[in-house]
Amino acid sequence: MKACRREPVPYTPVWFMRQAGRSLPEYLRLREGVPMLEACARPDMIVEITMQPLRRYAVDAAIFFSDIMVPLKAIGVDLDIKPGVGPVVADPIRDRSGAAVLRRLSPDDVPYVTEAIGGLVGELGATPLIGFSGAPFTLASYLIEGGPSKNHDHTKAMMYGDPVLWDDLMRRLADITIDYLKVQVEAGVSAIQLFDSWVGAVGPEDYRRSVLPHTRRIFEAMEPLGVPRIHFGVGTGELLGLMGEAGADVVGVDWRVPLDEAVRRVEPGKALQGNLDPALLFAPWEVIEERARDVVARGRTAEGHVFNLGHGVLPTTDPDKLARLTDLVHEVSAR
């Protein structure tokens, strides 16, 4: 929390995106036969999965176990998360009547989120719990395409060709995101992260015109709640300055841009998060150590730095390497 607020810290804090699940054998055992969206709606599973990495790694924060599609499912969107594929939407949104079905979210839509966060806050004690949501562009991409997309053809076609419909859809998704994040903060999370995983697909001018106003509104709505706000996207090196302008306290950086270069791209008054390439964890330890030390050193040029990977933990990552990496970062960054 201190690093997010650019306050002095005794060492660089560490957490990992997707540290809850995927690579942990105990997670895979628990999830066996349980669909993703069902797991995300069971408070007992949410609590257990969120806590699992903290028993293995000396990470400085927990990340709430969920999925960015949960709030859309909660308001009645017909979707599923298919193993090996990702989110699949039964009726892609391509017109005004499709967008009109997206209503505001209330706490009663996600009682399992409130219950799970309450349980986690009790178990975690002084360890912060990070809540999160998907950002409007990324959610829109899934809703418009009907599932994962490499080129985001339909999404961009709407953004370029029907800006009125696009604006309506993004406004509705921003409302849902604000509602969902407020539920999490009011239940007790210590910080929130907005994942705009696919926004790197757009250029700076399109981001400024068609994405930034909606993202900014989310962060402005979060500001009075007083929790650190983190903003992260993939392939967003050209957008880092604009993502900082959107209003987050911390800008997440993927592995494509060194942190000292990110410092130059992001306006002053921001902390940075990142940014070891997740694939490096498959390299020999001496390579991991060298690169991790480099990330820590470059991170010292930022006003605040939270060590993380440049994207989520990959499914076949060795958990022992994550434990060793966490200890290394704490050791080499100790002031």
Side-chain angles (χ1 to χ4, degrees):
M1 298 292 282
K2 287 184 174 181
C4 288
R5 294 182 171 126
R6 298 173 290 116
E7 298 171 4
V9 290
Y11 53 79
T12 301
V14 184
W15 71 279
F16 301 113
M17 290 181 280
R18 296 202 188 114
Q19 68 186 15
R22 299 194 81 182
S23 64
L24 297 179
E26 56 268 36
Y27 165 79
L28 298 172
R29 286 193 297 270
L30 186 64
R31 272 287 317 282
E32 192 171 355
V34 182
M36 180 63 176
L37 287 171
E38 181 184 332
C40 293
R42 286 176 50 178
D44 59 332
M45 289 193 76
I46 296 170
V47 171
E48 170 60 19
I49 293 168
T50 301
M51 294 299 299
Q52 283 177 348
L54 276 78
R55 299 178 192 132
R56 281 182 174 263
Y57 322 133
V59 286
D60 298 288
I63 175 74
F64 186 70
F65 172 73
S66 190
D67 189 90
I68 64 169
M69 304 305 285
V70 164
L72 298 181
K73 180 73 171 179
I75 63 165
V77 176
D78 187 357
L79 63 90
D80 194 14
I81 298 175
K82 297 193 174 179
V85 178
V88 177
V89 178
D91 300 305
I93 292 176
R94 305 280 171 83
D95 55 30
R96 281 156 184 74
S97 62
V101 305
L102 298 177
R103 63 168 176 83
R104 298 292 296 252
L105 178 139
S106 79
D108 293 338
D109 294 316
V110 285
Y112 42 88
V113 170
T114 302
E115 182 181 340
I117 290 172
L120 282 163
V121 169
E123 283 205 40
L124 287 165
T127 302
L129 174 63
I130 302 169
F132 71 91
S133 183
F137 179 89
T138 294
L139 296 177
S141 175
Y142 284 118
L143 289 172
I144 296 167
E145 303 293 338
S149 172
K150 285 185 177 179
N151 300 315
H152 309 279
D153 318 45
H154 296 290
T155 306
K156 289 186 174 183
M158 183 188 296
M159 183 177 74
Y160 296 140
D162 195 341
V164 174
L165 174 56
W166 173 261
D167 191 66
D168 179 49
L169 177 59
M170 291 288 279
R171 180 180 54 78
R172 290 171 183 271
L173 290 171
D175 286 340
I176 293 164
T177 301
I178 290 167
D179 296 337
Y180 187 53
L181 289 172
K182 282 185 174 178
V183 167
Q184 295 177 60
V185 174
E186 287 164 5
V189 300
S190 305
I192 56 99
Q193 176 159 308
L194 191 65
F195 281 91
D196 213 347
S197 306
W198 307 136
V199 79
V202 304
E205 286 310 308
D206 290 315
Y207 182 92
R208 184 182 292 281
R209 181 185 307 112
S210 303
V211 180
L212 179 60
H214 306 284
T215 308
R216 179 181 281 137
R217 189 160 66 85
I218 294 168
F219 287 127
E220 286 175 349
M222 291 296 105
E223 186 173 13
L225 301 181
V227 301
R229 300 156 296 172
I230 310 168
H231 193 15
F232 173 74
V234 183
T236 51
E238 297 301 317
L239 305 178
L240 287 174
L242 290 165
M243 290 173 70
E245 285 181 35
D249 305 291
V250 185
V251 177
V253 184
D254 75 6
W255 66 92
R256 296 170 177 88
V257 178
L259 287 178
D260 50 351
E261 172 59 25
V263 169
R264 288 189 281 273
R265 298 186 186 189
V266 176
E267 63 186 357
K270 307 288 180 184
L272 297 183
Q273 177 178 282
N275 70 337
L276 191 76
D277 186 343
L280 267 167
L281 292 167
F282 298 101
W285 174 252
E286 55 269 23
V287 178
I288 299 171
E289 179 174 355
E290 178 188 356
R291 294 297 190 95
R293 286 177 179 272
D294 183 62
V295 170
V296 170
R298 293 175 188 270
R300 288 198 177 104
T301 65
E303 295 179 43
H305 177 216
V306 177
F307 188 97
N308 207 314
L309 302 180
H311 198 191
V313 174
L314 296 170
T316 54
T317 302
D318 179 356
D320 290 340
K321 284 186 175 177
L322 284 170
R324 200 171 172 187
L325 175 61
T326 306
D327 294 341
L328 173 73
V329 172
H330 287 160
E331 178 189 334
V332 302
S333 65
R335 304 299 195 265

